Amino acid sequence: MSAMTVTTQPFVGQRPGTSGLRKKVTVFQQPHYLENFVQSLFDILPDRAGKTLVLGGDGRFHNRVAVQTILRMAAANGFGCVLVGQGGLLSTPAASAVIRKRGAYGGIILSASHNPGGPDGDFGIKYNIGNGGPAPEKITEAIYQRTTEITAYQTTGDTADLDLDTLGRTMLGGMAVEVIDSVALYADLMQTLFDFEAMRAWFAAGKRMRMDTMCAAGGPYATAVLEGLLGAPVGTVVNGEPLEDFGGYHPDPNPAHATELIAAMTGAAAPDFGAASDGDADRNMILGRDFVVTPSDSLAVMAAHATKVPGYAAGLKGIARSMPTSCAADAVAKALGIPSYETPTGWKFFGNLLDAGRVTLCGEESYGTGSDHVREKDGLWAVLFWLNLLAATGESVESLVRGHWARFGRHYYSRHDWEGIPTERADALMAALRAQLPALAGQPFGALTLTQADDFSYTDPVDGSVSSRQGVRLLFEGGARIVFRLSGTGTEGATLRVYLERYDADPARHDQPTQDALADLIALADRVARIRELSGQDAPAVIT
Ligand code: VG1
Ligand code: CO
């Protein structure tokens, strides 16, 4: 086998978004499309010779083909070794764990995460650096710049497909390919963090759980840990088999898409604990019987009770949340006397804070929670954290959350997604919003008093890098907020995300339906941004 050079031309639009490059499968199936992006990545890693790379994906359609293509390119580009998840599968948190555990140079994760899969669905690719976390913007931007000028890529050519299903080591030219058991490695890591005895006892006492892995990458991990190590009855994990089209499900764990789980968690006969994870298993949704936990509350509750979990018994160094995530976790940080950080949307912004030891827990309103055990959000980790809390306190999910509100007040929170807006219209809407920011200050807003209106800009406290235009914020007296930003993960038109938050300290008012509690902010968001008028739509497509 020898390396060969294939001539190519740049494709437009290969700039990674919030989490990697995501496009329709049909776009990735074009000759040279994936290869161009991968070679652009390799080109900006000048010291790659002999290095170890981690490779795997969420198992969606095109995953296996892409793994074989990348292996051929990695060999031709001089990598020393590639660690591949068995079957070409690696959940995003497991990939992060493998990179860290094996001291790899970096990793390629093939995933479009929570986007639908299948031949007509989406595909994606992202690069993680040696700390196990998503590449920071300076790297993704360098890859993008390279895609605009690429003229050739290296590959071994038509070498036979490698066996991805059998554990062990083979050679592809001068490069070793090791098919690894990432489930075992991940399960070992979880056992260093959680009280497996207490959780086993919780199941043994007859408590019941339903974990819906949505036919995606999380299934094997959840089954091995919950049904294997913790003795949960077989059937605790549902939709546990990873399928190329996710069984037709939209693997986005929220009340709008995980409708079967919501139904199963409703009524007196429902299990005690419900949870779900997304396409690449980095997101989590937490439910009790007849009770849905918002991700922002979940982060805050976990932080408040963290010392009850062995891996966090020494306390937290700090907490970070993305800007649109509710301020519930800030209140906990304040009570604990630890720092809290507000970052732009996307896990890559937590990496420096975690590496510098400034924070232990991180979270996003988009069903993402994680800690310094890896450098990605981690769906099953969050589920085990909650399970550990249930086992340690003997409380229910609902009583833990209600107790939290009683102590810290309730941050009513909702996100409204306006999907499929023509890009020009969405851009015009954001431009109009930005243009009126200076004039908003003196205006009356009914019972609300505006204290600040800006476009969020973040200066990384560790490396000083600045990320501007990260979302338009309207902040009101008393903690109410409206945030507007455009999604960076979609593949069709634009999605406007409107984030709404209101704080209420009074337990007598903690039982309002969320949309009612936020009604004036919802109306105000539409009035200020003229959403209906400029989007041409009547209502948000998804409310979480
Ligand atoms: C969305 C979420 C963001 C999350 C990102 C990746 O991004 O809002 O919080 O980090 O998805 O999650 P955007 O730009 O569409 O709002 V995942 O589970 O796709 O890796
Ligand atoms: Co995901």
Side-chain angles (χ1 to χ4, degrees):
M1 179 227 81
S2 60
M4 58 184 267
T5 300
V6 179
T7 305
T8 186
Q9 284 176 354
F11 287 91
V12 290
Q14 290 199 319
R15 176 179 261 139
T18 311
S19 177
L21 180 71
R22 293 186 196 181
K23 302 284 176 193
K24 292 276 166 215
V25 166
T26 48
V27 172
F28 269 101
Q29 283 173 326
Q30 298 173 86
H32 311 317
Y33 191 89
L34 174 69
E35 290 87 340
N36 274 18
F37 187 81
V38 172
Q39 187 64 52
S40 298
L41 161 65
F42 290 165
D43 284 349
I44 64 138
L45 307 174
D47 56 344
R48 63 186 179 273
K51 296 287 195 317
T52 295
L53 201 60
V54 170
L55 175 63
D58 62 19
R60 68 180 59 225
F61 184 79
H62 204 52
N63 191 84
R64 278 181 178 263
V65 177
V67 167
Q68 300 286 356
T69 299
I70 295 169
L71 285 172
R72 292 186 182 103
M73 292 184 64
N77 274 273
F79 279 93
C81 176
V82 177
L83 307 172
V84 192
Q86 192 171 20
L89 282 174
L90 276 179
S91 76
T92 284
S96 187
V98 173
I99 293 171
R100 294 170 67 79
K101 179 79 181 175
R102 298 288 299 264
Y105 182 79
I108 294 176
I109 303 173
L110 301 169
S111 173
S113 186
H114 59 283
N115 298 21
D120 302 322
D122 293 346
F123 193 74
I125 177 167
K126 55 183 176 170
Y127 179 65
N128 281 27
I129 57 174
N131 73 352
E137 280 187 320
K138 66 172 190 301
I139 291 183
T140 55
E141 199 50 31
I143 299 169
Y144 170 64
Q145 288 308 327
R146 186 69 192 147
T147 66
T148 65
E149 59 195 26
I150 189 164
T151 56
Y153 61 84
Q154 310 293 317
T155 173
T156 59
D158 287 334
T159 44
D161 276 359
L162 293 181
D163 172 10
L164 302 177
D165 298 304
T166 312
L167 296 177
R169 215 174 153 89
T170 47
M171 295 302 286
L172 178 59
M175 184 183 85
V177 177
E178 188 181 334
V179 177
I180 59 163
D181 182 355
S182 71
V183 175
L185 185 148
Y186 180 86
D188 284 349
L189 177 59
M190 293 302 112
Q191 290 179 86
T192 67
L193 300 171
F194 299 112
D195 187 345
F196 271 57
E197 278 309 313
M199 295 190 287
R200 236 177 253 130
W202 189 85
F203 282 118
K207 297 281 192 189
R208 287 180 304 125
M209 172 182 183
R210 182 183 175 97
M211 172 80 201
D212 191 336
T213 52
M214 305 186 97
C215 302
Y221 303 89
T223 305
V225 174
L226 295 170
E227 296 180 9
L229 296 170
L230 292 174
V234 171
T236 297
V237 177
V238 298
N239 297 318
E241 185 80 31
L243 298 174
E244 288 200 329
D245 66 349
F246 304 127
Y249 291 98
H250 185 163
D252 191 356
N254 62 44
H257 294 305
T259 47
E260 275 178 20
L261 178 62
I262 298 283
M265 291 304 297
T266 305
D272 304 275
F273 182 35
S277 53
D278 73 330
D280 59 336
D282 57 354
R283 296 185 177 205
N284 74 92
M285 178 168 65
I286 300 294
L287 305 97
R289 187 177 296 125
D290 293 317
F291 194 83
V292 180
V293 184
T294 70
S296 298
D297 278 348
S298 174
L299 173 66
V301 170
M302 289 164 77
H305 293 278
T307 54
K308 299 184 177 84
V309 175
Y312 307 90
L316 306 177
K317 293 170 182 154
I319 307 170
R321 63 165 174 85
S322 67
M323 180 273 284
T325 303
S326 99
C327 300
D330 301 13
V332 177
K334 198 168 168 215
L336 293 174
I338 56 173
S340 53
Y341 297 86
E342 186 178 42
T343 61
T345 294
W347 210 262
K348 55 179 173 266
F349 294 103
F350 295 133
N352 278 347
L353 296 171
L354 290 162
D355 283 353
R358 294 195 188 212
V359 299
T360 309
L361 292 190
C362 305
E364 292 193 281
E365 51 65 40
S366 53
Y367 298 82
T369 336
S371 87
D372 57 2
H373 69 290
V374 288
R375 292 293 180 274
E376 287 277 7
K377 54 189 188 264
D378 189 342
L380 185 55
W381 167 88
V383 171
L384 292 172
F385 199 116
W386 270 90
L387 186 58
N388 198 148
L389 289 184
L390 298 179
T393 61
E395 289 195 48
S396 68
V397 171
E398 178 168 354
S399 70
L400 278 172
V401 177
R402 289 194 180 279
H404 188 89
W405 292 341
R407 180 172 169 207
F408 293 98
R410 179 168 180 187
H411 293 258
Y412 281 101
Y413 187 85
S414 182
R415 184 176 102 183
H416 290 200
D417 292 335
W418 299 72
E419 296 180 349
I421 306 175
T423 307
E424 320 77 58
R425 284 186 178 224
D427 289 343
L429 185 153
M430 288 303 291
L433 200 49
R434 289 188 162 107
Q436 59 170 318
L437 279 177
L440 284 176
Q443 290 182 24
F445 292 100
L448 294 157
T449 306
L450 187 78
T451 55
Q452 196 177 327
D454 65 9
D455 195 347
F456 182 62
S457 174
Y458 178 67
T459 303
D460 186 299
V462 179
D463 67 13
S465 58
V466 177
S467 303
S468 52
R469 295 167 67 88
Q470 296 294 321
V472 168
R473 309 190 287 180
L474 308 184
L475 312 181
F476 302 92
E477 229 168 69
R481 300 195 301 164
I482 305 173
V483 175
F484 304 88
R485 62 178 282 282
L486 297 183
S487 159
T489 57
T491 59
E492 262 178 49
T495 293
L496 172 70
R497 303 206 194 284
V498 183
Y499 308 83
L500 305 136
E501 175 175 357
R502 141 166 286 141
Y503 177 69
D504 200 327
D506 184 357
R509 288 195 302 265
H510 285 174
D511 262 325
Q512 301 170 66
T514 299
Q515 301 304 316
D516 293 354
L518 298 171
D520 57 344
L521 291 163
I522 294 167
L524 185 57
D526 188 37
R527 175 155 74 79
V528 173
R530 298 189 289 150
I531 303 173
R532 284 185 169 76
E533 178 195 334
L534 296 178
S535 73
Q537 299 183 2
D538 288 339
V542 176
I543 294 180
T544 55

